[in-house]
Amino acid sequence: MPPAHGRVVELTVDATAPRHARDVVRSVLQQAELDGQVLDDCLLVATELVDNAVLHGGSFVRLEVTPAAGCVEIAVQDGSSVLPVARAPGADGGRGLLILNALAEWGVESLPDGGKRVWARVAVPVPDGAG
């Protein structure tokens, strides 16, 4: 994966935020020569993180996308200090953390001025013969 620059973007706290997040992730990763499945996984992870921040996060949503050696880190900051908790999937959702568990290593950090930062690292396999 050639070097790519990360990006930090403030998103509107509304229903358009997940789509905008996907556009940002796609833009950042377009030169990273990712396999299609890894790109799809990154887009889905960004969608889930941003959707949760819009639904539960409060006053702001900030998306960070950082390609790195062996992974892509996608992080979302929001204004709520309430940490994410897995719940049983139902008609009203509850699948977001299950999706994160399946696609990425993830965690959450409390921010010093309130709010939180939820991050996910999607693994980028090393191509055969690279090394």
Side-chain angles (χ1 to χ4, degrees), residues 27-92:
S27 172
V28 169
L29 299 180
Q30 69 185 357
Q31 297 177 5
E33 298 177 12
L34 296 176
D35 117 340
Q37 185 61 56
V38 173
L39 178 59
D40 288 347
D41 290 351
C42 289
L43 295 173
L44 184 53
V45 164
T47 299
E48 291 300 325
L49 291 176
V50 169
D51 191 48
N52 284 343
V54 167
L55 291 173
H56 309 292
S59 59
F60 73 94
V61 176
R62 181 176 299 122
L63 171 70
E64 305 167 29
V65 183
T66 310
C71 74
V72 174
E73 183 171 292
I74 300 165
V76 173
Q77 293 182 23
D78 66 46
S80 172
S81 59
V82 177
L83 302 180
V85 176
R87 61 185 176 105
D92 64 339

Side-chain angles (χ1 to χ4, degrees), residues 49 74-78 80-85 97 100 105-111 115-121:
L49 291 176
I74 300 165
V76 173
Q77 293 182 23
D78 66 46
S80 172
S81 59
V82 177
L83 302 180
V85 176
L97 295 181
L100 286 182
E105 170 191 0
W106 70 276
V108 61
E109 305 160 354
S110 294
L111 299 175
K116 65 184 169 296
R117 179 178 183 268
V118 182
W119 56 267
R121 293 184 188 114

